[in-house]
Structure formats: C-alpha cells, structure tokens
Amino acid sequence: MQNKNITGLTGVLGLIGNPVRHTMSPLIHNTLSEELGQDLCYLPFPVEQDVTAAVKGAFHLGIRGLNVTVPHKTAVMEALAEVDENARIIGAVNTLVRTENGYKGYNTDMPGLLRAISIRGISLKGQQVIVLGAGGASRAVCTLALSEGAASVWLLNRTAAKAEQMAEELNRHFEGNRLKALAASDFRKVPGVPSVMFQCTSLGLKEGDGLLIEDENFYHKATYGYDLIYNPAVTPFIRKMNENATPCDNGLSMLLYQGIIAYELWTGLSVSEELAERVYTKLKRSIYGENLILVGYMGCGKSTVGRELAESQGMHFLDTDSMIEEREDCSIRELFEERGEAAFRDLETGLLKHLSDSAVNTVIATGGGIVLRKENRELLRKTGTVIWLKASVEETLGRVKSDTSRPLLDSASEQELAGKVERMLQERGAAYESAADEIVSTDGKTVEEISREISRIY
Ligand code: ATR
C-alpha cells in the first residue's frame, strides 16, 4: 500500500466491474499520481448488479473519473450523459470522464493499443492486417485497423459465422469491403504478403492451449505480432513469433497505455514516454515477478547459489559473465587481455541497461567488479533486490586458489595471491555495501543453506 496522505482535498478515481480483485489499474494510476504529484487516489469498486445506480451514485459522490471493466462495458452506456464516437462503434466503454451533466464514456483500449504499437514503430496504414479471433477484443482491433487505413483486414475465427457478422457490420460502417471474414480452417486463402498479426482469441490463457492455426508457414507472413493476452507473458503465439525471430509484444503494453490515456483524459496532463516506461517496468515486475541480484567478490558462490535459488523458487537464472562471453564469443580472460578492463566494464554496463528493462522473475549472478561503477550500482538497484554474498579472505582464498580463469588474480605465489585478495576485498567492500539491499554472510555455509537464507529474506 502506498503511503498516501489522504485529506479532504484528495480526488477519487476508480474502477467499476465484477470481479475487480485482480486489477492492475490501481498500480498504474496511483503510480502516475504519485510521480506527477497529483492529489488523487484510485480505488477498485466491485459492482455486482445495477451499474446505472453505481454510476449515478459515483457522480453524486464527486468521483472524478472511472474505468469500467467486465461485465459492464456495454451496459454502462445507458447510464452516461454522452458516448464518444469510437466507443460507440466498438460497442464498449472503459473510461468515464466527468462532465457537468454526468459522465462521458470513452474507449481507451483501441488508442492504447495504437500507442503501444506506434512506439514500436508499427503503422497499420496501407498494410495487410490479420486478426485471429472474433470476440470483443477482436472487434476493437478490427475497428482500429480499419480506421488507421489498413489496406485489408483478414478476420479468422473458429466459428466463421461470428467473423462474418462482424465483418458485415464494420464494413457497413467504414464503407467498403476491406474486412474479410474467414473460417480459421480456410487460412490458406489469406494472401502471402507481409502482414501485421493480432492474436485476439483466448487461446494461451490456459495451460496446454495451442494455436488457432497450427500450420507453421502461416506465421511466416507476420512482420510483427501482437497478442492481446498479457498473462501468461509467453503464449503459444508469442512463442511462435520468438521462434521465427519476428518482433512481437504481449498485451501488457495495451493495458498500460489504455490506463495512461484514461489518466490523461481525467487530468488533462500528458504522460511522458519516460514515465510510461517506468510504470511499465513496475507493472511487469508486479505481474511476472521481481528479480534478485547476487553481487560479491569472486568465489563467493554467486553462480552456484544463484542456480540453486532460481531452481528452488521457480525463477529464471542469468549470469552476466556468461552472457557477455556468449555475446562476444570470447572468454572473459581473452576480453581482458585483448580489449582491456575498461572495455569489459562498458559491456557490463550495456548489459545491465538491457536487463534493467527486460528481466523479470530472474536470479542474476554478476561479475565480481560490476559494482565498481556508480552507474552500474544504480542500474543494479533499479533491476531488483541486490544481495551481497559476503565471504572472508580465508574462505575466498580457499575457493579461488585453483581457479585459473580469473585474470585479475594472476599471481606468482600463494602468499602473493593472499595479499591480492585481501587488498581487493578491502577496496571493493564499500562498493558492494553501497550496491546491496541485503548482506548475507556465506562463511561455513552450504549452497543450500545460503539459498534458503536468501529466500527467507526475499
Ligand atoms: P474477448 O472479449 O476477450 O475477445 P470473447 O469475446 O469471449 O473474448 O472471444 C473469444 C475468442 O476466442 C473467440 O474468437 C473464440 O472463438 P469462437 O468465436 O469460435 O468461440 C476464440 N476461442 C476461444 N476458445 C477457442 C478455442 N479453443 N479454439 C479456437 N478459438 C477459440
């Protein structure tokens, strides 16, 4: 819960629907208010039956704005003073903006999707668009594609009749015959030209779901794929796009931008791309899971403990050193020898920037010197909870003595090595400490013990 000071001046925003307990909207809107310094509070309101009475009550309670979700998106229209033209075509309202005489209804799902794909450089104008599924979400996507000037929109559905009816209605509205309905089994009739593909069926929500069209070749037409599902993050459709190296996104960006556009309508403010990114990362972490980052001197067990921890917690595992070796196709020792330490540190910083935007639900083991740069320490903390695996000089020596893969430890004698380790531990201690949220001592503990200790903290 945010530590918000609610006063007599605080404005109320909210969501009506049923159920509302899993909604991510409070996170989006309360973060926006916090970041933009707006004295507003967003709350969920479960409305079981009479949505008209709820909207009337909300107006008289002075509620500034509302989102509307299932099952009220269509029925709510009856209760409004005005309905925006686009919302009327789609037949669904998800945002209510307060006016003098009542609320005006908008649909921000469609502009939300448009903003999400535009940011990825995708335009629908003049394109062949393929839409899979013919339910409520598909109707909004087809409307978007037609109003954005798509050359043709192929609508494929398991039940052809539903697709045909939708095509008839929308073609009448947009005048022309650009929307073409097909039974999914007739997918071969779709021309083999580069297409933007939208996945709007519910396939992927359940474990074991397949694709609407199983034929491999069908998906080669896609130059970009968008799955409206965001949980799970990877659906069979997204997996297929990834297999084909086709750029793609899931519905989380649409969820974000429909919220941002609603917020802009309520407040008259405009949300910068930078702020949108920050809310997106917060949303992603809250839905898909936080990251745990292990830092510490070489030999403290970052990789071994990290792997064990990831496995026991059902998280992914990444090792920054291995990732750099893989990306550069060369060992850390060779990188140091051929390009020098500074170049290696640059690679680390670049990788951390990438991980701070993309990693979710992951244990990340890092290189021993990653904390030396202030920029890296900031990136690490932005990426997740940072844990310093601390080990004494004796323990570290015992672990690194026979390891020849560590260029910074090249030494003639054992005594020299001991001195070097002691010096480096002392020099780096402050950097580890300032990077870390938590410190875990590893001396005399097994990998399982350390992993268990971290999962308790975490
Ligand atoms: P939404 O409002 O999210 O779009 P919807 O209106 O219930 O959801 O639509 C669900 C879509 O997923 C429909 O296109 C549905 O196909 P049918 O019209 O043939 O029912 C599609 N869908 C759901 N389960 C499916 C399955 N097992 N195989 C193929 N399509 C499926």
Side-chain angles (χ1 to χ4, degrees):
M1 188 73 210
Q2 269 111 339
N3 290 323
K4 177 160 176 41
N5 289 323
I6 295 182
T7 70
L9 293 171
T10 305
V12 180
L13 300 168
L15 166 72
I16 54 179
N18 190 37
V20 290
R21 63 180 174 278
H22 299 300
T23 176
M24 298 313 293
S25 294
L27 184 145
I28 299 175
H29 297 292
N30 290 324
T31 305
L32 289 172
S33 291
E34 205 179 319
E35 294 249 4
L36 294 165
Q38 296 297 300
D39 191 9
L40 292 166
C41 180
Y42 186 102
L43 297 166
F45 298 111
V47 173
E48 273 183 34
Q49 287 171 9
D50 195 342
V51 70
T52 303
V55 170
K56 200 168 166 191
F59 187 75
H60 290 292
L61 285 168
I63 291 180
R64 304 266 183 97
L66 286 164
N67 280 136
V68 183
T69 186
V70 280
H72 304 309
K73 282 182 158 190
T74 305
V76 77
M77 287 176 161
E78 300 295 323
L80 304 178
E82 220 180 317
V83 177
D84 168 73
E85 170 68 6
N86 275 328
R88 203 174 280 290
I89 304 167
I90 297 166
V93 156
N94 78 333
T95 300
L96 309 188
V97 177
R98 197 178 176 86
T99 68
E100 220 169 284
N101 311 317
Y103 291 105
K104 177 171 179 183
Y106 292 85
N107 189 312
T108 66
D109 286 332
M110 202 176 78
L113 175 59
L114 181 62
R115 195 137 139 197
I117 62 171
S118 304
I119 277 151
R120 299 283 261 131
I122 305 299
S123 156
L124 302 179
K125 197 172 166 55
Q127 291 284 311
Q128 170 163 292
V129 174
I130 299 173
V131 179
L132 308 175
S138 160
R139 191 181 173 93
V141 172
C142 291
T143 307
L144 174 69
L146 293 170
S147 58
E148 283 300 297
S152 56
V153 182
W154 292 85
L155 175 59
L156 291 99
N157 198 39
R158 174 180 60 181
T159 316
K162 260 165 89 178
E164 281 157 11
Q165 193 189 336
M166 193 154 101
E168 201 186 302
E169 283 170 30
L170 291 180
N171 278 331
R172 203 177 316 130
H173 180 87
F174 285 96
E175 293 175 2
N177 200 23
R178 284 182 295 151
L179 183 54
K180 299 160 206 299
L182 283 181
S185 51
D186 281 339
F187 66 90
R188 287 191 179 81
K189 293 186 180 159
V190 180
V193 299
S195 310
V196 178
M197 218 178 256
F198 292 94
Q199 201 303 111
C200 308
T201 74
S202 48
L203 288 168
L205 285 174
K206 288 194 315 290
E207 184 90 28
D209 274 350
L211 289 156
L212 178 67
I213 294 153
E214 290 292 348
D215 190 291
E216 275 280 307
N217 292 321
F218 177 73
Y219 298 92
H220 289 144
K221 283 194 257 293
T223 51
Y224 173 77
Y226 196 96
D227 196 322
L228 273 79
I229 295 172
Y230 65 85
N231 201 5
V234 180
T235 58
F237 178 79
I238 292 287
R239 198 168 300 123
K240 180 58 70 191
M241 293 294 118
N242 287 338
E243 272 169 27
N244 294 346
T246 304
C248 62
D249 288 292
N250 72 20
L252 196 64
S253 52
M254 177 174 165
L255 176 74
L256 170 76
Y257 286 108
Q258 63 74 32
I260 285 181
I261 295 168
Y263 193 88
E264 290 176 336
L265 285 169
W266 293 327
T267 60
L269 298 171
S270 74
V271 174
S272 69
E273 240 349 273
E274 202 194 339
L275 175 54
E277 271 290 319
R278 281 207 296 280
V279 183
Y280 188 63
T281 303
K282 201 162 168 183
L283 202 52
K284 218 162 45 175
R285 300 251 158 87
S286 141
I287 298 175
Y288 306 135
E290 297 283 349
N291 301 308
L292 266 181
I293 301 149
L294 305 181
V295 299
Y297 193 63
M298 51 190 93
C300 71
K302 287 166 299 201
S303 304
T304 332
V305 170
R307 270 199 193 89
E308 161 71 26
L309 190 60
E311 197 172 321
S312 68
Q313 300 296 303
M315 296 168 80
H316 309 290
F317 174 75
L318 287 179
D319 181 316
T320 58
D321 277 353
S322 312
M323 283 182 87
I324 291 174
E325 286 184 327
E326 217 167 282
R327 283 177 163 200
E328 299 302 307
D329 195 20
C330 124
S331 72
I332 302 282
R333 169 172 283 283
E334 284 162 348
L335 269 169
F336 264 74
E337 282 169 5
E338 287 163 22
R339 299 193 224 164
E341 184 172 346
F344 173 71
R345 301 282 171 226
D346 286 343
L347 291 172
E348 278 186 326
T349 304
L351 178 58
L352 280 185
K353 281 185 184 151
H354 166 70
L355 291 178
S356 71
D357 286 338
S358 62
V360 289
N361 198 28
T362 304
V363 179
I364 304 171
T366 56
I370 207 158
V371 294
L372 295 174
R373 282 189 181 178
K374 184 163 177 277
E375 184 185 7
N376 288 1
R377 296 199 291 272
E378 282 160 7
L379 283 167
L380 287 168
R381 295 188 69 128
K382 187 177 158 210
T383 309
T385 305
V386 184
I387 294 164
W388 175 16
L389 296 186
K390 196 173 178 182
S392 63
V393 178
E394 299 72 43
E395 186 98 11
T396 306
L397 268 177
R399 294 186 195 150
V400 300
K401 239 187 297 192
S402 51
D403 191 340
T404 55
S405 69
R406 307 176 188 273
L408 289 177
L409 280 189
D410 285 344
S411 257
S413 69
E414 214 164 282
Q415 208 180 1
E416 211 179 316
L417 179 68
K420 216 170 192 175
V421 166
E422 189 165 0
R423 228 176 14 258
M424 283 177 85
L425 276 179
Q426 206 146 40
E427 279 165 13
R428 290 183 179 184
Y432 289 131
E433 192 155 4
S434 81
D437 296 293
E438 300 285 346
I439 301 171
V440 171
S441 164
T442 62
D443 283 6
K445 292 176 190 162
T446 65
V447 168
E448 288 74 20
E449 281 168 341
I450 302 166
S451 161
R452 237 176 291 132
E453 197 172 320
I454 296 173
S455 34
R456 273 200 297 268
I457 299 171
Y458 180 55

